[in-house]
Amino acid sequence: MADAQTAEYDVIIIGGGPGGYNAAIRAGQLGLKVACVEMRSTLGGTCLNVGCMPSKALLHASELFEAASKDFAGLGIDVSPKLNLGQMMSQKQDSVTALTKGIEFLFKKNKVDWLKGRGRLDGPGKVVVEGPDGAKTYATKNVVIATGSEPTPLPGVAFAEGKVVDSTGALALPAVPQKLIVVGAGIIGLELGSVWRRLGAEVTVVEFLDRITPGMDADMATAFQRALTKQGMKFKLGTKVTGATVGAGGVDLTVEPAKGGEAETLTGDVVLVAIGRRPYTEGLGLETVGARPDARGFVANDHFKVADGVWVIGDVTHGPMLAHKAEEDGVAVIELIAGKAGHVDYDLVPSVVYTFPEAAWVGKTEDQLKAEGIAYKSGKFPFTANSRAKINHETDGFVKVLADAVTDRVLGVHILGPQAGEMIGEACVLMAFGGASEDLARTCHPHPTRSEAVRQAAMGVEGWTMQA
């Protein structure tokens, strides 16, 4: 290879997360000369290192711990589980390490150069990487910004190690807090709150809105909150956080009703701030190519393109801030660069909450259909009537299918229940091909499985549901 400072790449990707590494691998597969800039010591970005993967490792382990503590006896299994938090954290890290090493292997296999350091634009066709050996400039025909996002801070609530933490800190607490206060009733807050509640913490969730999980179908959100409350999670909705005081004994969090009223103080050992994420676009040199982030940090673009030879994907552009959306963006943008067709339908990007029960959805909610004036039909089926859910004692939740009242085309599918994240893929495929509820209703599903609930909900659109 020519000297790094003079070598010209077809594409340099800034950011080695799900969007960036998938883009890099796809570029290698298409024969493009490609490099990926990553400032972490490992590839995979937030998702693999301190996000999706470690949180799922802890969700899985904590779910088994709670099942052993509370459910096994009823199944005829007598055990007395004891928490070994150190081992739980160790196995989590082992899994993360295996995944990040896997990305390194795929880089080598597909001839992707990993440029270690912090990358930024320095005018058209130039990327500066500030790494261990100083700054180096690389020439490239295309640059893809795939820098992802970071936790949004909460004004008046400063982070304090081990006391006031973001999602990264909540994944590495050294001990189970006696009382955990979660600020934000979105996906991240509810998942991490569930982990620590299962392990013994008393968890209170504070949310500014008068409902949990914004973006989720309202009917499902109500049932979801009911299920989490039954498990022991407490909620203070319609509540504004105004400040925090950290002391030797914990954190005093000052809150008041969002619509005005008397303030009160909540005290916890740890406060998790999980009010969302914001694009990581600071210091990227976008101004050197005539581009600037908007007030929220997002970079405007035309089908990923910001300027000649400059592209953005994932969390730094609009659409759902989800790892799998970034992956699709990454593949699409590289195919556009290579002269192929590249497109992502953001209306068909599924969302999943990996609590128990899981919540998953794709397409429109009922509120959205009503707001858009779209006439629709609805079919709903509860897991209490599903044979597999019954015998597994997993009956919380339901499946809801929304279809166009005239054409029967499926417009949205919403699942609250066991393995919802696995089952939603069926709905994604159906909707990608413009399928009707009848198509799903007349497709044979294996028995007994949870997936039969999806079919039964589709049958319910036309009123011919058959309960188990």
Side-chain angles (χ1 to χ4, degrees), residues 361-396:
W361 64 98
V362 64
K364 301 289 187 179
T365 67
E366 285 203 65
D367 285 343
Q368 287 173 329
L369 293 175
K370 290 174 182 176
E372 294 172 20
I374 298 173
Y376 67 93
K377 302 174 291 185
S378 176
K380 192 173 180 181
F381 190 81
F383 278 102
T384 52
N386 174 263
S387 299
R388 181 69 183 276
K390 276 184 176 180
I391 61 174
N392 284 13
H393 309 287
E394 300 171 337
T395 54
D396 278 340

Side-chain angles (χ1 to χ4, degrees), residues 64-88:
L64 292 177
F65 176 77
E66 183 170 56
S69 302
K70 298 180 178 180
D71 301 331
F72 278 15
L75 299 174
I77 306 169
D78 292 330
V79 296
S80 299
K82 180 180 179 181
L83 177 62
N84 182 339
L85 186 59
Q87 176 58 28
M88 190 176 288

Side-chain angles (χ1 to χ4, degrees), residues 7 36 49 59 73 79 87 102 118 142 146 163 172 357 399 416 449:
C36 183
N49 288 279
L59 281 160
V79 296
Q87 176 58 28
R118 184 184 297 267
N142 293 278
K163 296 290 186 180
V399 181
L416 175 67
T449 63

Side-chain angles (χ1 to χ4, degrees), residues 7 35 44 59-60 67-68 95 120 164 172 243 248 292 309 344 376 397:
L59 281 160
H60 175 65
S95 298
R120 59 179 170 83
V164 181
R292 291 186 184 277
V344 182
Y376 67 93

Side-chain angles (χ1 to χ4, degrees), residues 83-234:
L83 177 62
N84 182 339
L85 186 59
Q87 176 58 28
M88 190 176 288
M89 292 296 181
S90 178
Q91 63 83 29
K92 173 201 71 173
Q93 190 54 49
D94 288 345
S95 298
V96 168
T97 299
L99 289 168
T100 58
K101 291 294 184 184
I103 302 303
E104 284 190 51
F105 168 77
L106 289 172
F107 271 24
K108 292 175 182 176
K109 178 181 177 182
N110 291 284
K111 299 180 181 178
V112 179
D113 291 340
W114 176 9
L115 307 179
K116 299 182 180 181
R118 184 184 297 267
R120 59 179 170 83
L121 293 161
D122 188 27
K126 293 182 180 179
V127 172
V128 175
V129 179
E130 297 179 4
D133 300 324
K136 294 183 179 179
T137 301
Y138 298 84
T140 183
K141 296 173 185 175
N142 293 278
V143 179
V144 176
I145 305 296
T147 45
S149 60
E150 61 184 348
T152 302
L154 179 61
V157 181
F159 290 114
E161 187 174 357
K163 296 290 186 180
V164 181
V165 299
D166 59 13
S167 55
T168 300
L171 288 166
L173 295 177
V176 179
Q178 183 177 348
K179 292 185 177 182
L180 171 67
I181 301 173
V182 178
V183 182
I187 293 175
I188 294 172
L190 296 180
E191 287 186 350
L192 293 177
S194 292
V195 166
W196 293 107
R197 184 203 58 74
R198 294 167 182 168
L199 300 181
E202 179 184 313
V203 177
T204 300
V205 180
V206 180
E207 169 58 47
F208 182 80
L209 300 176
D210 59 3
R211 55 160 291 172
I212 70 170
T213 48
M216 181 186 287
D217 185 87
D219 187 23
M220 191 160 81
T222 299
F224 186 30
Q225 183 183 341
R226 189 183 305 122
L228 295 176
T229 300
K230 187 169 66 174
Q231 294 169 12
M233 195 174 284
K234 299 176 182 177

